[in-house]
């Protein structure tokens, strides 16, 4: 082999090594890049809806147990129950106790309110924006209320 062909071979090897290093860097930073903590919002809404359903089905008041959903309606209508002077304050403390024992995954604040038509009664005000879930509460008299649960 001549000296010139040896230099060409060394040059070709250097080019192949540079291409291989570039390809490895592309794979590391381009393809295997960490996407961060991107979470699907539908999973968050499903989590919140399930949490809200669980909270609404918990019974409160030892003397005459009622579900939280019934207590929310009584709060909206300002009806006395469970010997509480302020029905909304009682419901608020019970919901805070339930959420405190269960815990909220990834969230620090939350809001809960009830609406009927255009009238709104705030139970807990903790955030203005965030993931929202709602459900319709129907009384025995076929009256419809909407309970909202928002976390942020």
């Amino acid at each position: 082999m001549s000296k010139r062909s040896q230099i060409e071979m060394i040059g070709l090897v250097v080019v192949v090594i540079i291409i291989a290093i570039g390809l490895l860097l592309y794979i590391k930073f381009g393809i295997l890049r960490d996407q961060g903590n991107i979470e699907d919002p539908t999973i968050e809404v499903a989590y919140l809806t399930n949490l809200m359903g669980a909270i609404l089905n918990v019974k409160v008041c030892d003397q005459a147990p009622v579900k939280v959903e019934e207590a929310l309606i009584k709060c909206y209508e300002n009806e006395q129950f469970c010997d509480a002077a302020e029905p909304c304050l009682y419901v608020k403390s019970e919901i805070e106790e339930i959420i405190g024992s269960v815990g909220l995954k990834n969230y620090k604040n939350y809001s809960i309110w009830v609406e009927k038509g255009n009238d709104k009664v705030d139970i807990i005000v903790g955030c203005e924006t965030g993931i929202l879930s709602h459900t319709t509460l129907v009384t025995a008299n076929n009256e419809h209320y909407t309970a909202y649960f928002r976390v942020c």
Side-chain angles (χ1 to χ4, degrees), residues 2-129:
S2 71
K3 194 172 188 170
R4 183 171 183 205
S5 61
Q6 287 177 343
I7 293 174
E8 286 179 7
M9 289 296 290
I10 291 174
L12 184 61
V13 169
V14 169
V15 169
V16 169
I17 290 173
I18 290 172
I19 290 174
I21 290 172
L23 184 61
L24 289 173
L25 289 173
Y26 172 74
I27 289 173
K28 177 166 177 29
F29 294 113
I31 296 174
L32 299 177
R33 179 178 24 163
D34 183 22
Q35 297 296 325
N37 249 354
I38 300 174
E39 293 189 21
D40 189 1
T42 55
I43 293 172
E44 297 298 318
V45 170
Y47 168 77
L48 186 59
T49 302
N50 290 336
L51 179 62
M52 182 181 186
I55 290 170
L56 292 177
N57 285 315
V58 172
K59 291 190 175 187
V60 295
C61 187
D62 294 332
Q63 300 95 311
V66 296
K67 289 183 177 180
V68 169
E69 68 180 54
E70 297 168 31
L72 286 174
I73 294 170
K74 290 181 185 295
C75 166
Y76 181 88
E77 296 295 338
N78 203 22
E79 294 178 15
Q80 297 300 113
F81 72 99
C82 198
D83 297 332
E86 288 288 328
C88 290
L89 290 177
Y90 179 79
V91 172
K92 177 182 178 179
S93 67
E94 290 295 318
I95 291 174
E96 287 174 341
E97 184 179 325
I98 294 166
I99 291 177
S101 66
V102 173
L104 277 175
K105 180 189 85 167
N106 299 333
Y107 303 106
K108 294 182 173 81
N109 297 316
Y110 53 94
S111 295
I112 298 175
W113 68 95
V114 180
E115 289 183 2
K116 180 180 178 186
N118 292 329
D119 295 327
K120 175 182 173 183
V121 173
D122 291 317
I123 311 298
I124 299 171
V125 180
C127 43
E128 297 290 324
T129 60

Side-chain angles (χ1 to χ4, degrees), residues 69 73 136-145:
E69 68 180 54
I73 294 170
T136 302
L137 309 174
V138 181
T139 65
N141 299 337
N142 207 24
E143 293 182 70
H144 291 71
Y145 299 82

